[in-house]
């Protein structure tokens, strides 16, 4: 039977009806105008209703992937930074509103599940999925099962410490990988260079307009040989590549799946991760390892959430 | 029904008959005089026979924990450095010799399984077990199952890279955690200090006799304020603590279980690991985390191997 998948981001809710093979039959996207839990639940219901109507099939069950820390089993969002939520029982609220059994998971877990069953992970049992977009996230599939950890927060690769007492991270702690290599923080570091006047190449690329800075402009400035840009960029790339390589050593996945805006749009960063895994992951963990790009793009979380509910 | 557990080290084979609750009914230990596969199989059979005879019960199944990389499912030891073996089908050889179904796993996996069912992990489903002895090893239990990885070599925490292109490790690669923080390498680094004449405290502690160097003497010299000893020791402790903290962040275990000679006998090293986890593991991964010492000591692998065969 088809199921409903929901992707709850910071600005939109997307809904899709997905068949048992992971094929999207219909989808809908609605902006989150009202960010109260009740408002968001209504927006999700609206998107869900539109998708179900377009698909014209009966759905049995609903899965939600949310950019949040999820309390295992209960479907409570402990912390959802994009929405400014703490301890919102989204699973229960949606169950009541939709009249469906609802399963809520972290967006990366949903994406990994989607890639496992309908994307670059098909046929494998052990995956490490690393997404570098505005943040850095990962999800682990071991023996065909999501590794969610005792509290449901496993996979937080972005929050391993790479420089104890280093840069302040959005999570409130210091020295996290994400504080150096996440897209938001690549831009923040580029902005610091621009403000300090220390990167001529970067200033020229964006015409001294800080709002035009992106991870791509930072990569371009670094690759043009600009010393300051290069230092920030290479440090980020090195931390990211080493972290991914070390997780390959510890987890020995069959496939490493890479995705997210930074890895998709910064070919140099992606290449450094591949080179790092080849150089630094233990030889035995690399035997038979396949490295692949995520195949489902923005739909991986939507499809994965639906399949988790199947 | 009771099962047989085998602990295959580099110098001894131990065998124990273990009941379903993880209680050792009898055990035997035989020195490995002959290190050929046939010789080792005979030694194991001798130890097994003695243990079974003492226990006076019928056993159904045999588990082996070996200090080796094991090919998943087949029971082939791909690399067993202590025995100088490559690609030895120990599982099959023992099955033929003992007339029992035999399961072969890595020694750390066996120890983790023992701690899970009969030691410090009882009642938990998600464990990270870290042993620092002559080497550095770990094993991961997720959702009550051993995480062994696609090739059966997951958990090789000792071989994550902490200094790309750093110290040469016994595994043949460079910059591994074990090359700095494993017991053999702590001694090797202390020996280098002694040879260079750069650590007066260390020289005094062992009367300039390099054969008396241990991880404990290095810790003592460091804690006495000796600058050179302190540098080597604190670097090792910091790498180890950061690596363990980062694995807690990624895996979100319910319990972190610590064991092995270095952590058992060097209280300062153990304290630095505990402090590091508290300081550097992400706050959410630390919520509800219990840190405990391995309870079964040298028997964890023996008991775990037997229980894996049950």
């Amino acid at each position: 039977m088809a199921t409903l998948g929901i992707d709850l981001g910071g600005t939109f809710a997307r809904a899709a009806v997905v068949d048992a093979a992971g094929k999207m039959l219909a989808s809908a996207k609605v902006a989150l105008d009202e960010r109260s839990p009740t408002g968001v639940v209504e927006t999700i219901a609206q998107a869900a209703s539109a998708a179900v109507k377009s698909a014209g099939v009966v759905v049995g069950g609903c899965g939600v992937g949310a950019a949040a820390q999820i309390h295992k089993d209960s479907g409570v969002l402990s912390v959802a930074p994009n929405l400014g939520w703490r301890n919102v029982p989204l699973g229960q609220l949606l169950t009541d509103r939709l009249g469906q059994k609802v399963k809520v998971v972290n967006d990366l877990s949903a994406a990994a599940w989607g890639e496992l069953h309908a994307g670059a992970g098909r046929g494998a049992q052990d995956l490490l999925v690393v997404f570098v977009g505005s943040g850095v996230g990962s999800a682990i599939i071991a023996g065909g099962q999501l590794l969610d950890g005792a509290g449901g927060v496993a996979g937080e690769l972005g929050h391993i410490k790479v420089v104890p007492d280093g840069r302040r991270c959005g999570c409130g702690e210091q020295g996290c990988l994400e504080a150096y290599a996440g897209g938001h923080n690549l831009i923040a570091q580029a902005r610091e260079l621009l403000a300090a006047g220390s990167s001529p190449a970067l200033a020229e690329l964006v015409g001294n307009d800080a709002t035009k800075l992106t991870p791509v402009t930072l990569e371009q400035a670094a690759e043009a040989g600009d010393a300051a840009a290069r230092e920030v960029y290479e440090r980020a790339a090195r931390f990211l590549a080493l972290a991914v390589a070390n997780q390959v050593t510890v987890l020995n996945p069959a496939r490493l799946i890479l995705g997210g805006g930074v890895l998709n749009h910064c070919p140099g960063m992606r290449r450094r991760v591949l080179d790092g895994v080849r150089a630094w992951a233990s030889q035995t963990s690399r035997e038979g390892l396949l490295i692949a790009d995520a195949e489902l793009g923005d739909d991986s979380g939507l499809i994965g959430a639906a399949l988790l509910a199947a």
Side-chain angles (χ1 to χ4, degrees), chain A residues 4 7 20 28 47 49 68-69 115 161 176 204 212-213 249 254 260 285 292:
Chain A
L4 194 56
D7 175 14
S49 164
Q69 282 174 10
E115 291 292 333
K161 302 299 176 283
C176 299
E204 196 186 323
K212 291 189 177 154
L213 290 167
T249 297
S285 70

Side-chain angles (χ1 to χ4, degrees), chain A residues 9-10 35-37 40 67-68 77-88:
Chain A
R35 284 158 178 249
S36 70
V40 168
L77 273 62
S78 335
V79 188
N82 294 335
L83 295 166
W85 288 2
R86 279 191 171 264
N87 298 316
V88 172

